[in-house]
């Protein structure tokens, strides 16, 4: 999971999102890091093969993060869990912070994705994969 977060940080650096003194950009970057950690953790916890690939794409308007795994079973939002107990909150965090998210079949498994709107910034469009 640490490698995925470092990959995400490096992509954000290459797109000039980090480091930043702009509080809005920093907040969006921190939210993205949290959501990527949640998607990777879910692949670790709920699939036998763990996460496959982490893909990040930014088109200057929105950023899309995708995590693949070998399980065809789509993720499910659990009923609201007791906020004082661990577990069951990850997808709720993603649902609340992401502009949109979902799941699609890919190969014999799936890809779980999320998208966030980007605050204004430099037009440095790239794609990164890990």
């Amino acid at each position: 999971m640490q490698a995925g977060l470092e990959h995400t940080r490096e992509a954000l650096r290459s797109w000039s999102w980090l480091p930043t003194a702009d509080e809005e950009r920093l907040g969006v970057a921190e939210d993205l890091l949290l959501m990527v950690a949640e998607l990777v953790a879910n692949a670790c916890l709920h699939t036998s093969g763990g996460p496959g690939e982490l893909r990040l794409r930014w088109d200057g308007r929105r950023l899309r993060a995708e995590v693949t795994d070998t399980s065809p079973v789509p993720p499910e939002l659990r009923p609201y869990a007791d906020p004082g107990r661990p577990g069951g909150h990850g997808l709720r965090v993603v649902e609340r912070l992401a502009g949109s998210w979902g799941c699609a079949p890919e190969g014999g498994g799936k890809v779980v994705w999320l998208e966030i709107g980007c605050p204004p910034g430099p037009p440095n469009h790239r794609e990164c994969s890990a």
Side-chain angles (χ1 to χ4, degrees):
M1 181 161 55
Q2 190 63 28
L5 290 179
E6 187 52 40
H7 171 70
T8 304
R9 277 188 200 94
E10 187 58 37
L12 293 175
R13 282 186 207 104
S14 76
W15 296 326
S16 301
W17 283 44
L18 294 175
T20 183
D22 181 291
E23 288 186 27
E24 183 179 6
R25 183 172 299 283
L26 181 60
V28 173
E30 289 174 346
D31 287 351
L32 178 67
L33 289 166
L34 174 62
M35 291 186 289
V36 167
E38 291 295 346
L39 294 187
V40 172
N42 280 350
C44 290
L45 291 171
H46 302 294
T47 67
S48 60
E53 185 177 31
L54 166 63
R55 299 186 289 243
L56 302 168
R57 293 183 183 91
W58 179 40
D59 67 7
R61 292 173 300 142
R62 77 175 167 260
L63 193 147
R64 182 177 176 106
E66 301 176 344
V67 175
T68 65
D69 64 53
T70 58
S71 172
V73 179
E76 250 182 66
L77 278 175
R78 293 184 183 174
Y80 284 98
D82 178 350
R85 300 192 66 182
H89 307 287
L91 282 180
R92 292 276 175 205
V93 169
V94 171
E95 179 184 54
R96 181 158 186 148
L97 295 177
S100 60
W101 74 277
C103 176
E106 184 171 295
K110 66 180 172 296
V111 59
V112 182
W113 58 268
L114 64 88
E115 291 183 344
I116 59 172
C118 300
N124 184 6
H125 310 203
R126 287 195 194 166
E127 295 184 13
C128 296
S129 292

